[in-house]
Amino acid sequence: MTSSRFAIAYLTQSRPVILMQAFPTVQTIEPRYQLSWLRSVPALLETGKAQSALGHLYCQLGEWDRAAGAYLRSLNAFSHAEDAVALGRTLTHLSVVFAQRQQYRWAYDYAAQAVQHLHNTADNAGYAAALHTLGMGHYYRRRYRLALKTLEKALALRHELGDELGEAITLGCMGRVYAARGEHWCALSCYEAALDGYRQHQTLLEGNGYEIMIRRRIARLANCAGHTDLAIAHFEAALLLCQKCDRALAAEILIDLANLHEGLQQNKVALRYHQQARQLQQAAKPKASANNVPAPIALQPTEEGYY
């Protein structure tokens, strides 16, 4: 059986010639000139852009393996075209994809390469995104001090660029790092700041997924710190945001509330939440149908980095 490392190495080294032969533009060119055109810089750039767009689409569908393949082909094309900015951004995308696949060593390596390629370019937004992604690479490898240091650089650069939504995303990640270090009050401060920043620009994103995630994290930290009223308030706010659009997630939050009330020995309230969660879980089960098609997710920034 072929190992994943061998497959990745093969995709990285492969040329885009075969891929481009399927393009209508290529098919109209006289065969004797076709190979030289395919190896030209404009053709390589078009290949890179096409494969990058394909990677974005696979990310929307959550098909991370296919996204990785598309981005690796894009990486190969941009590398041969010697486009440092496009190469750096593609490396950042790859880092995000491998983090989603929980292959954190690869995610870290690609993020480090992205920072190296974008450091001396004029693409400050791309450099900030690469720094953010590298910070998450450190976080996943439990290098919390380096994670905070790198995320602080990304935060400062995004502040200079006026990227308030990017600041909010980075602050949310810093909250994760502080929580992992056991510094709950620092984590809560970062989460609250992230929530405020997000709510000012929530129209730029589709759905309330980020706010729900941050509120759940605030609630769990508040519960650990003994502030159960604050925890309940954030859990209930998160529940209100998702109960009409995501029944499975609403069921998870109801279970969070049930567990919290069990800890307070409020068993009747806990039982009611458990019953509501079971009802939502039953309602959320997909019905067998040949017409079921996965709904695409809007292309937007994630905690790991920007797409």
Side-chain angles (χ1 to χ4, degrees), residues 210-222:
Y210 186 76
E211 182 176 354
I212 293 168
M213 176 182 64
I214 293 297
R215 286 191 179 278
R216 291 181 75 186
R217 289 179 180 164
I218 292 174
R220 288 167 180 167
L221 279 176

Side-chain angles (χ1 to χ4, degrees), residues 25 43 47 101 114 151 162 179 185 213 224 230 269 301:
T25 307
T47 302
R101 293 172 63 176
L151 288 170
W185 292 113
M213 176 182 64
C224 290
L230 180 63
V269 178

Side-chain angles (χ1 to χ4, degrees), residues 8-203:
I8 291 168
Y10 173 79
L11 287 171
T12 304
Q13 295 171 8
S14 62
R15 302 282 180 174
V17 175
I18 297 175
L19 298 171
M20 287 296 294
Q21 286 177 344
F23 280 39
T25 307
V26 175
Q27 295 172 358
T28 64
I29 299 175
E30 191 173 348
R32 62 180 176 175
Y33 296 115
Q34 193 173 57
L35 189 60
S36 63
W37 185 85
L38 285 168
R39 289 177 176 172
S40 70
V41 170
L44 289 168
L45 291 175
E46 287 302 316
T47 302
K49 291 176 183 178
Q51 291 300 320
S52 184
L54 186 61
H56 294 341
L57 291 173
Y58 283 132
C59 285
Q60 287 180 310
L61 297 172
E63 296 186 20
W64 305 113
D65 292 345
R66 292 184 176 181
Y71 283 136
L72 284 166
R73 292 189 290 271
S74 174
L75 183 71
N76 180 63
F78 287 136
S79 178
H80 283 81
E82 298 182 351
D83 187 329
V85 171
L87 184 61
R89 284 181 172 262
T90 304
L91 287 164
T92 302
H93 299 329
L94 275 167
S95 178
V96 174
V97 169
F98 277 92
Q100 293 287 348
R101 293 172 63 176
Q102 298 183 356
Q103 294 175 291
Y104 299 127
R105 175 60 186 273
W106 285 92
Y108 169 81
D109 288 344
Y110 282 122
Q113 292 178 55
V115 169
Q116 183 179 0
H117 279 84
L118 292 168
H119 179 62
N120 293 319
T121 68
D123 184 16
N124 289 330
Y127 181 52
L131 283 170
H132 176 110
T133 308
L134 180 60
M136 292 308 296
H138 285 305
Y139 165 78
Y140 286 123
R141 301 185 74 188
R142 300 183 181 181
R143 299 174 176 175
Y144 300 134
R145 182 182 62 82
L146 286 172
L148 284 174
K149 184 178 179 180
T150 309
L151 288 170
E152 285 170 359
K153 289 182 180 179
L155 182 66
L157 186 52
R158 283 177 165 170
H159 180 72
E160 290 178 10
L161 295 170
D163 181 7
E164 295 180 349
L165 180 58
E167 287 185 68
I169 301 293
T170 302
L171 282 165
C173 288
M174 291 175 66
R176 293 179 71 179
V177 180
Y178 279 121
R181 285 161 56 107
E183 300 177 44
H184 291 171
W185 292 113
C186 291
L188 282 171
S189 297
C190 287
Y191 284 148
E192 291 285 1
L195 190 59
D196 290 342
Y198 161 78
R199 289 178 68 83
Q200 293 177 17
H201 300 276
Q202 60 183 343
T203 54

